[in-house]
Amino acid sequence: MKNTDEPIKAAPTARSDGELSGMKNILADTLFEMGYNDTLVDTLIERNVIDFSVVNYTSDVMDNLIEHYGESVLCGGLPDAVICESLDAALMGEIGRSWRASKGDTFRERILYMIAAPIESLDLKVIESSELESIKLMPQLDAVKRNMIIDYGEFGMQLPDTDVIVYRPENSQIIAIISSKISVKESVVQVGYWKFKLLESENTAHIKVYLITPDANKDLTRIAPAKEPRVIAEIELDGTYVLTTEALEESDKVKLFEHFIEDFKQVIGENH
């Protein structure tokens, strides 16, 4: 535990008279410590964005708790206040560095899980970009790689830095690339750059470029006056989808995450 003279304070969700329990309570407290509204978990469940019956969204948090307090945490052996203190230590202290390092990867995995099934129901294939990093690829993946590679002339070839790739399995044609970032202040510039590079070639100009984010720093919230990330998202990208319970001024290019699949279906319909 941390050495402090201040009393341990539980997050609002931990004091909510059992509205959230077990794994949901731990996740809610984690998000609260990260600065999110304490109703985020309830809202995402209502929107069917997260489903605790099929995915353990709190594995990173539980690993940290077990390391500190032993297996008893699996049986509900920690008071809410101790959970909050442990989470705070995990986010701010020594363990926090490894937690934060894995946080982005964990977010990408969750996004992939949420979008893969509905997209693949459209007779498309969804893969992580890391699957193209092998030197020897299966013929289909090798074709996918060649269909999205960017030629830098004397400086060689480069794949766009993205997280998820959507393509047609029958001909390996790339439909879209999707980046999932926790904050957008710098990442939206990078995503916009890859959109620009894809547009330079006839072979890749058709590829849609999307960004999915919880917008941790609230850079996308308002249209006017718009912060720089919002301007880039509106002008450069094909769509940005935000996981949030807070007010978001939506537009044709920046929307809440729950609109992503329906919008994607429209894009597929237009390309048929």
Side-chain angles (χ1 to χ4, degrees):
M1 294 186 183
K2 296 184 297 182
N3 293 322
T4 177
D5 295 329
E6 296 182 4
I8 298 171
K9 296 180 180 179
T13 49
R15 300 192 299 266
S16 59
D17 299 325
E19 288 183 11
L20 294 173
S21 60
M23 303 298 278
K24 289 193 292 184
N25 197 33
I26 292 172
L27 180 59
D29 286 334
T30 304
L31 293 171
F32 175 80
E33 294 293 340
M34 292 168 63
Y36 290 99
N37 188 290
D38 59 280
T39 63
L40 177 59
V41 172
D42 283 329
T43 302
L44 295 181
I45 291 173
E46 290 172 3
R47 293 178 179 173
N48 295 317
V49 173
I50 59 177
D51 183 352
F52 281 92
S53 67
V54 292
V55 177
N56 178 7
Y57 294 91
T58 61
S59 58
D60 292 325
V61 176
M62 290 304 296
D63 288 343
N64 286 331
L65 290 173
I66 292 170
E67 182 177 345
H68 270 285
Y69 299 103
E71 296 288 340
S72 64
V73 299
L74 298 177
C75 303
L78 285 178
D80 287 334
V82 175
I83 288 176
C84 290
E85 184 193 39
S86 176
L87 294 175
D88 184 61
L91 292 169
M92 304 300 294
E94 184 69 24
I95 297 175
R97 283 194 284 273
S98 62
W99 197 95
R100 285 190 294 273
S102 68
K103 186 170 61 175
D105 290 336
T106 304
F107 178 69
R108 286 190 286 273
E109 291 170 2
R110 294 168 187 173
I111 292 300
L112 179 63
Y113 171 82
M114 289 187 282
I115 67 176
I119 290 179
E120 292 189 340
S121 71
L122 304 173
D123 296 324
L124 301 173
K125 184 69 175 176
V126 179
I127 62 170
E128 293 184 78
S129 60
S130 59
E131 295 183 45
L132 301 181
E133 294 175 358
S134 174
I135 296 177
K136 291 186 178 181
L137 295 170
M138 298 292 289
Q140 185 180 88
L141 290 184
D142 184 63
V144 169
K145 185 174 183 177
R146 286 187 282 106
N147 285 341
M148 66 179 294
I149 205 161
I150 295 172
D151 187 355
Y152 283 87
E154 62 179 297
F155 298 104
M157 305 286 190
Q158 180 71 43
L159 285 173
D161 184 6
T162 190
D163 297 311
V164 176
I165 301 165
V166 182
Y167 68 94
R168 297 187 188 279
E170 65 269 20
N171 58 11
S172 298
Q173 180 192 39
I174 310 296
I175 302 299
I177 61 175
I178 304 167
S179 293
S180 50
K181 308 297 182 184
I182 291 177
S183 61
V184 300
K185 191 168 186 177
E186 296 178 358
S187 60
V188 72
V189 177
Q190 298 168 359
V191 177
Y193 168 79
W194 293 116
K195 175 63 179 179
F196 171 76
K197 295 303 294 183
L198 291 170
L199 286 172
E200 287 187 329
S201 170
E202 291 183 3
N203 295 330
T204 56
H206 66 281
I207 298 175
K208 300 294 184 182
V209 178
Y210 298 110
L211 174 63
I212 297 176
T213 176
D215 189 24
N217 297 322
K218 300 179 177 59
D219 291 312
L220 302 174
T221 303
R222 302 185 64 181
I223 296 177
K227 294 183 179 180
E228 182 180 358
R230 178 71 187 241
V231 174
I232 296 172
E234 293 283 358
I235 296 175
E236 304 294 342
L237 308 188
D238 292 298
T240 299
Y241 295 86
V242 184
L243 279 149
T244 184
T245 61
E246 300 185 17
L248 174 71
E249 294 182 6
E250 296 184 87
S251 67
D252 290 340
K253 289 288 194 74
V254 179
K255 300 181 181 181
L256 291 171
F257 173 74
E258 55 257 42
H259 299 298
F260 173 72
I261 294 300
E262 288 304 315
D263 286 356
F264 194 82
K265 288 179 180 178
Q266 291 183 15
V267 169
I268 299 303
E270 293 169 359
N271 290 339
H272 269 302

